[in-house]
Amino acid sequence: MKRIGFIWVFLVAFTMAKAQQETGLWTLTPKVGVNSSKVSVNDLWVMMQDDNNELRASAKRRWGFVGGVDAEYQAWQQIGVSVGAFFSTEGYTYGDIKDIGKVSQSLYYLNVPVLVNFYIEPNILPGLALKAGIQVGYLLKGESTFGSTETNTGSYKRVNVSIPAGISYSFRGFVADLRYNIGISNLCNMGVLDESWKLNSLWLTLGYQFKL
């Protein structure tokens, strides 16, 4: 029994040692998933043409697609640094408004996140990491739907800066990643707006990690 117990302890220790992050390792992780985004300004006032009354609507989250790749360098056993490139469809929506129809804004971004990944004690919780950093997004196209759909890229600033923070878990090469991007720059390029519009988005992705 003692011999069996010793072998069991040895196998557990060996498995955990293998689960530790290898210092100096480069990995590439393609990811795809969904995002949910919304602007910091919640309300929209629409002037009705027939009776000059204002109609107030509350913003709802817009669901979209996100896909791209993260490249990570394991600087220390518990700390990695990653840079990524992701295409994401974000924006906001007010749903269907009476006498107008669907009111929403689609924003197509190329996002470049730079993150520091902190692995929670690899010997105890292998594969679990907390992450935070900075993300710069470049607006590829903007589309407004206000009854009908039209391109309005010029109404929004080309560069959007946000602070991503999140958590990920990897198991046998598969990586589940949940991160929240907190907008810190003004989204709109329209001088008539007094308020600063910031875009916040939640990303949920699944990927597979390749060692380089």
Side-chain angles (χ1 to χ4, degrees):
M1 288 296 293
K2 289 183 179 180
R3 184 175 299 178
I4 294 174
F6 175 78
I7 294 174
W8 184 85
V9 171
F10 175 80
L11 289 175
V12 171
F14 177 78
T15 301
M16 288 189 169
K18 293 293 288 183
Q20 294 179 4
Q21 304 301 314
E22 300 176 34
T23 303
L25 179 68
W26 279 94
T27 58
L28 201 63
T29 311
K31 300 176 180 179
V32 294
V34 295
N35 68 59
S36 175
S37 55
K38 187 180 177 182
V39 288
S40 58
V41 178
N42 185 60
D43 296 320
L44 172 72
W45 286 264
V46 180
M47 180 68 73
M48 305 297 290
Q49 299 298 323
D50 52 356
D51 54 8
N52 256 2
N53 291 324
E54 286 186 339
L55 177 64
R56 180 174 175 174
S58 295
K60 302 177 179 65
R61 287 193 168 275
R62 182 195 186 282
W63 291 88
F65 167 83
V66 58
V69 61
D70 271 325
E72 181 176 358
Y73 175 72
Q74 198 67 36
W76 293 278
Q77 180 183 335
Q78 289 182 250
I79 297 178
V81 180
S82 66
V83 60
F86 288 85
F87 171 79
S88 62
T89 58
E90 302 181 22
Y92 52 95
T93 181
Y94 292 92
D96 291 321
I97 296 179
K98 184 181 179 182
D99 300 327
I100 296 177
K102 184 179 180 180
V103 176
S104 66
Q105 176 66 50
S106 298
L107 300 168
Y108 303 93
Y109 280 102
L110 176 62
N111 289 299
V112 179
V114 179
L115 302 173
V116 174
N117 304 303
F118 177 73
Y119 290 88
I120 308 295
E121 189 50 54
N123 289 331
I124 300 175
L125 296 171
L128 187 66
L130 300 178
K131 54 191 63 192
I134 190 165
Q135 175 173 280
V136 178
Y138 180 78
L139 180 63
L140 301 173
K141 184 181 180 181
E143 282 185 342
S144 173
T145 300
F146 198 86
S148 61
T149 300
E150 61 180 27
T151 300
N152 66 338
T153 310
S155 299
Y156 294 87
K157 295 182 178 180
R158 284 286 187 176
V159 177
N160 182 50
V161 182
S162 59
I163 297 177
I167 187 171
S168 68
Y169 179 73
S170 60
F171 179 74
R172 294 187 177 179
F174 290 96
V175 181
D177 189 306
L178 179 67
R179 67 182 72 169
Y180 189 70
N181 301 303
I182 306 168
I184 60 174
S185 62
N186 186 14
L187 187 68
C188 289
N189 206 26
M190 298 174 279
V192 297
L193 297 177
D194 296 328
E195 297 176 276
S196 177
W197 288 41
K198 297 177 176 62
L199 182 65
N200 302 316
S201 62
L202 181 68
W203 291 8
L204 176 61
T205 61
L206 179 65
Y208 190 81
Q209 189 177 75
F210 298 92
K211 295 182 180 181
L212 301 181

